[in-house]
Amino acid sequence: MADEPPPFQSSKLSDLLKIHLNQNGTLTRFYDVVPTLPPSPTPPTNPNSNPIHALSKDIPLNPTTTTSLRLFLPHPPPPPSVKLPVVLYFHGGGFILFHASSSVFHDSCSDFASLFPAIVASVDYRLAPEHRLPAAYDDAVDAINWLRNQTIDPTKSEPWIRDHADFNNCFLMGCSAGANIAYFAGLRALDMDINPIKIKGLIMHVPYFSGVQRSESELRLINDQLLPLHKNDMMWNLSLPKGSNRDHMFCNPMVSNVIYGDKIGKLPRCFINGNDGDPLVDKQKELAKILEGHGVQVVQHFVEDGFHAIELFDKAKAMVFCENVKKFVVEAIAS
C-alpha cells in the first residue's frame, strides 16, 4: 500500500499546482507552499545560525534567454588537489513550475553537494507555457556547453569550477520533469562536441513521462493527491508544442524510442528511481526497459510504497535516495 502523505502534505500537496492561466497564454503561479531561498555564497558569521553543509551562488547562463545556474559547493570545500564530480541538475515541476531557488530543490542540491560530495549546478531553465518544449532542452544544452567552456580558459572560468571540478566525471540529474530533461539532454549531448568533459551517467529521479493510452498506474491512481490525472494532462497540454498530444516523443518514451532508435544505446549508464504509489511509475519502468533493450546499463530502484517525488518531502526517504545515488556515482567514476 502506498504511503499516506504526512500532515504537511495532507493539507498542502494539492496546493502545489496553484496556477492561473491568463488570457495572453502566460501563467500566474502561486508559490505559497514552496518558497524560494536566497543563495549562501559565504558561511554564516552568526555563531547562533544553523550550520550549512553547502555554499551556493547564482551565476548567469544565457543572458539572451535570462537563464541562470545555482552552484552548490560542499562546505567546507576540499583542498584544490581533491577534484569533485560535477552534477548538472534539472528541477521538477511539470515544466511549468518552480525554480532552482525553490526551497525543496535548493535543499536537495545542498544535500547532494554535501553527501556525494560534488559540485552541483542547478539549471534555472525557462518554463512553459511561456516557453514550451523544447525550450527547456535547449537550456540544458546551454548548461552542457557552459560546463565545457569552463575548461577552455581557466583564468575566465567560475572559481568553484576551476578549483574543484573533475571534468572527467560529470552527470546529468533531474527530478520528475527535470529527469525528462536530463534524458533528452543526454541524447542531445551524443551529437555535441563536449570534449574534454565526460558525461558518466544520467540520474533520473521519478522521470516524468506519459502517453495517450492511460497506463495501469495512471488509472489506479487517477485521483492521486499530488499528481491526479487531470493535473498531469494539464501540465502536458501547457508544456508540449502547440497542437501536440501525449504521444509526442517528448512525452511518450515508446515514441522517443522509435525516433532515436539505436542512438539510445550510446547513452552512459543510467539510474532510475521510482515509487509504486506514483501514477507515473509504469512509464518509468517502461523507460528502464527501453534503455536496457538498447544495452544501456541501468540501475533501478523501485519501491512498493511512497508517492511521486516523496523524497523531496520525507527526510528519511531522501537519505536512502541520496545513498543510492552516491553509490551509483562512485561506481560510475570507478568504471
Side-chain angles (χ1 to χ4, degrees), residues 106-125:
H106 174 98
D107 291 342
S108 292
C109 289
S110 294
D111 289 342
F112 301 147
S114 174
L115 295 174
F116 288 177
I119 299 170
V120 179
S122 183
V123 183
D124 202 23
Y125 55 86

Side-chain angles (χ1 to χ4, degrees), residues 76-119:
S81 60
V82 177
K83 300 304 181 183
L84 300 173
V86 180
V87 177
L88 289 180
Y89 182 84
F90 307 97
H91 67 79
F95 303 107
I96 68 171
L97 292 170
F98 307 128
H99 295 281
S101 59
S102 297
S103 58
V104 290
F105 299 110
H106 174 98
D107 291 342
S108 292
C109 289
S110 294
D111 289 342
F112 301 147
S114 174
L115 295 174
F116 288 177
I119 299 170

Side-chain angles (χ1 to χ4, degrees), residues 252-268:
N252 190 333
M254 296 296 290
V255 177
S256 64
N257 183 32
V258 173
I259 300 296
Y260 285 97
D262 292 340
K263 180 180 284 189
I264 294 173
K266 298 179 181 179
L267 288 171

Side-chain angles (χ1 to χ4, degrees), residues 1-324:
M1 180 180 294
D3 282 356
E4 286 297 321
F8 171 78
Q9 279 79 36
S10 297
S11 61
K12 295 293 187 180
L13 277 182
S14 60
D15 292 341
L16 284 172
L17 297 181
K18 284 176 60 178
I19 59 173
H20 175 74
L21 182 60
N22 302 311
Q23 289 186 347
N24 63 359
T26 63
L27 283 186
T28 299
R29 300 165 174 90
F30 303 95
Y31 292 126
D32 298 10
V33 180
V34 182
T36 59
L37 295 178
S40 302
T42 58
T45 56
N46 186 340
N48 297 320
S49 299
N50 292 328
I52 63 171
H53 303 290
L55 304 176
S56 56
K57 69 166 75 168
D58 292 335
I59 61 173
L61 175 58
N62 185 332
T64 301
T65 56
T66 64
T67 51
S68 62
L69 299 166
R70 176 161 289 191
L71 291 184
F72 296 83
L73 180 71
H75 177 67
S81 60
V82 177
K83 300 304 181 183
L84 300 173
V86 180
V87 177
L88 289 180
Y89 182 84
F90 307 97
H91 67 79
F95 303 107
I96 68 171
L97 292 170
F98 307 128
H99 295 281
S101 59
S102 297
S103 58
V104 290
F105 299 110
H106 174 98
D107 291 342
S108 292
C109 289
S110 294
D111 289 342
F112 301 147
S114 174
L115 295 174
F116 288 177
I119 299 170
V120 179
S122 183
V123 183
D124 202 23
Y125 55 86
R126 288 170 292 171
L127 299 176
E130 295 87 349
H131 305 282
R132 290 174 176 266
L133 295 174
Y137 305 147
D138 296 339
D139 297 341
V141 167
D142 282 348
I144 294 170
N145 282 324
W146 169 86
L147 184 57
R148 177 183 179 271
N149 290 340
Q150 298 300 300
T151 70
I152 296 174
D153 184 355
T155 64
K156 296 180 180 179
S157 64
E158 159 58 42
W160 288 2
I161 299 292
R162 179 191 63 219
D163 295 342
H164 300 290
D166 180 356
F167 296 108
N168 289 316
N169 290 299
C170 301
F171 296 83
L172 304 180
M173 180 177 185
C175 173
S176 192
N180 175 299
I181 296 170
Y183 178 65
F184 285 104
L187 287 169
R188 286 195 177 195
L190 297 174
D191 296 324
M192 298 166 59
D193 178 11
I194 63 173
N195 288 321
I197 70 171
K198 294 183 174 65
I199 298 175
K200 298 296 286 288
L202 308 184
I203 303 166
M204 293 177 278
H205 176 211
V206 294
Y208 189 60
F209 290 94
S210 187
V212 168
Q213 183 175 345
R214 307 303 192 184
S215 69
E216 186 279 332
S217 58
E218 286 178 322
L219 294 175
R220 172 169 51 89
L221 298 163
I222 191 169
N223 294 315
D224 181 70
Q225 190 172 14
L226 177 60
L227 197 60
L229 192 57
H230 73 280
K231 288 189 176 179
N232 187 36
D233 289 348
M234 174 198 66
M235 288 190 286
W236 281 115
N237 289 339
L238 290 172
S239 57
L240 286 170
K242 285 187 175 181
S244 302
N245 64 23
R246 291 184 311 283
D247 279 341
H248 192 283
M249 69 172 179
F250 297 160
C251 178
N252 190 333
M254 296 296 290
V255 177
S256 64
N257 183 32
V258 173
I259 300 296
Y260 285 97
D262 292 340
K263 180 180 284 189
I264 294 173
K266 298 179 181 179
L267 288 171
R269 65 180 63 199
C270 293
F271 176 101
I272 299 180
N273 186 79
N275 306 287
D276 281 352
D278 181 352
L280 309 184
V281 69
D282 285 351
K283 282 296 181 183
Q284 295 160 7
K285 292 179 178 179
E286 185 176 273
L287 175 64
K289 186 176 181 180
I290 289 170
L291 289 165
E292 289 181 329
H294 286 284
V296 178
Q297 183 177 343
V298 181
V299 176
Q300 302 180 47
H301 287 276
F302 289 100
V303 296
E304 293 183 357
D305 61 358
F307 51 87
H308 184 72
I310 187 175
E311 293 81 5
L312 294 176
F313 307 100
D314 185 313
K315 268 294 185 184
K317 291 188 181 294
M319 291 302 297
V320 173
F321 171 67
C322 282
E323 287 300 324
N324 288 335

